[in-house]
Amino acid sequence: MAMNTDKNSYTLIFAIVMVLVVGSLLAFTASTLKPTIVEQERMEKQQNILYAMGVNGNEGTGDITFVSKELVDNGSGKKSPKVSVEFAKYITKQLVIENGVAKEDKQAYLIDVKKEQAKAKNGGTRRLPLFIGEKDGKTFYIAPIRGKGLWDAIWGYVALDANMVVQGTFFDHKGETPGLGANIKQRYFMDDFYGEKLLTDAGVFKGITVAKGNNDPKNEIKDDYEVDALAGATITGDGVTAMIKKDLKLYQPYFENLKKLASN
């Protein structure tokens, strides 16, 4: 007997079947791709951390070239992504700071900063990842930061020396306006932070302000606690200022302890 396709019941049954079929396919696809997605996110974090400390493929004055993900010999006769090999080479220690205590954790780079911020906001204890790198005889301390831009999340990594002077940065965003706020990811903006101080000579944390009225547009003065703002991106710039001041200040006790240990 032929089914009457004009009935409402047929339409309802058909819709339910399609939802179940499509839902099952999507769930299967998501489950299948999840390991690949997680691996890509892991390597992207490694790229960003290395970029902040100056391990990248930059050659010109404006390009941004990350350490590649291509497979290379990892030294044991096997192939690994180049970024993972470089990460193991340059990042000598990964720390998690919690309740003022720093402990080594080789998985620190996988900590979700967004979740840690939410935990602290709800009264919990926030874990702070910190990556220590060695390059050309210099020690770098790379800290992740996260904040809010005009439209959505912004984040980054800031490389510091033992005196909390910026040695490199990497910024990114989820949905800032192309040509305006999205330019926080441009090299000319990120390079302006190099050499900027976070602390006064007395050791007071000042942070860095992305200032529209900055009197040093070439950013040659490195103790004014300011960098030049992006044209037409005031709110995004304010977001960068806020996340630097809020997140990096949390690391100040660690650096103060470093100085005490060095003086003993």
Side-chain angles (χ1 to χ4, degrees):
M1 183 177 70
M3 181 177 292
N4 184 357
T5 58
D6 293 328
K7 286 185 176 182
N8 290 336
S9 58
Y10 173 83
T11 303
L12 180 61
I13 292 171
F14 179 80
I16 292 172
V17 171
M18 288 303 296
V19 167
L20 291 173
V21 171
V22 173
S24 297
L25 288 173
L26 289 174
F28 174 76
T29 302
S31 176
T32 302
L33 293 178
K34 186 174 181 179
T36 301
I37 294 171
V38 170
E39 176 67 3
Q40 290 298 315
E41 290 176 345
R42 180 185 69 81
M43 289 191 290
E44 184 176 326
K45 285 185 177 182
Q46 291 180 336
Q47 285 179 319
N48 296 346
I49 292 167
L50 290 173
Y51 186 93
M53 67 172 286
V55 180
N56 50 58
N58 291 354
E59 294 180 355
T61 57
D63 62 329
I64 294 178
T65 307
F66 297 107
V67 177
S68 76
K69 300 176 183 177
E70 66 178 346
L71 295 177
V72 297
D73 190 333
N74 62 15
S76 64
K78 297 181 180 180
K79 297 284 187 178
S80 296
K82 183 177 180 180
V83 64
S84 298
V85 174
E86 296 287 271
F87 191 81
K89 174 183 176 182
Y90 287 101
I91 301 301
T92 57
K93 190 180 293 185
Q94 296 187 59
L95 302 176
V96 175
I97 304 169
E98 188 172 5
N99 288 323
V101 178
K103 295 182 179 179
E104 282 198 56
D105 186 339
K106 294 182 179 180
Q107 301 297 310
Y109 71 99
L110 297 178
I111 289 177
D112 189 324
V113 176
K114 180 181 178 181
K115 290 181 179 179
E116 293 301 317
Q117 287 178 333
K119 187 194 302 181
K121 189 175 181 180
N122 293 324
T125 301
R126 179 175 172 179
R127 296 180 300 161
L128 301 171
L130 184 66
F131 314 99
I132 301 178
E134 299 285 343
K135 176 176 175 281
D136 299 331
K138 291 176 60 177
T139 301
F140 298 81
Y141 302 86
I142 306 100
I145 57 177
R146 186 178 180 88
K148 179 74 169 62
L150 173 61
W151 303 112
D152 213 315
I154 56 176
W155 59 89
Y157 292 89
V158 181
L160 306 167
D161 66 11
N163 296 309
M164 295 193 83
V165 176
V166 177
Q167 302 300 304
T169 63
F170 176 76
F171 299 123
D172 207 344
H173 65 94
K174 186 174 182 180
E176 298 306 284
T177 307
L180 298 174
N183 285 348
I184 63 170
K185 195 177 179 180
Q186 293 297 316
R187 184 172 165 186
Y188 71 85
F189 178 71
M190 295 190 289
D191 285 354
D192 279 348
F193 288 81
Y194 182 85
E196 292 286 339
K197 297 179 179 180
L198 295 175
L199 304 176
T200 67
D201 291 339
V204 178
F205 186 91
K206 289 274 289 185
I208 301 170
T209 299
V210 180
K212 191 174 182 180
N214 182 27
N215 294 320
D216 177 33
K218 292 185 178 181
N219 287 298
E220 295 174 344
I221 302 172
K222 295 300 181 180
D223 57 359
D224 60 352
Y225 311 101
E226 290 185 350
V227 298
D228 205 33
L230 294 165
T234 301
I235 295 178
T236 306
D238 289 346
V240 173
T241 296
M243 69 177 178
I244 286 175
K245 291 187 175 182
K246 181 166 65 87
D247 281 2
L248 292 183
K249 183 175 175 57
L250 299 174
Y251 290 89
Q252 186 180 3
Y254 173 83
F255 287 94
E256 289 177 346
N257 191 51
L258 271 185
K259 287 185 178 181
K260 289 178 183 178
L261 292 174
S263 62
N264 290 339

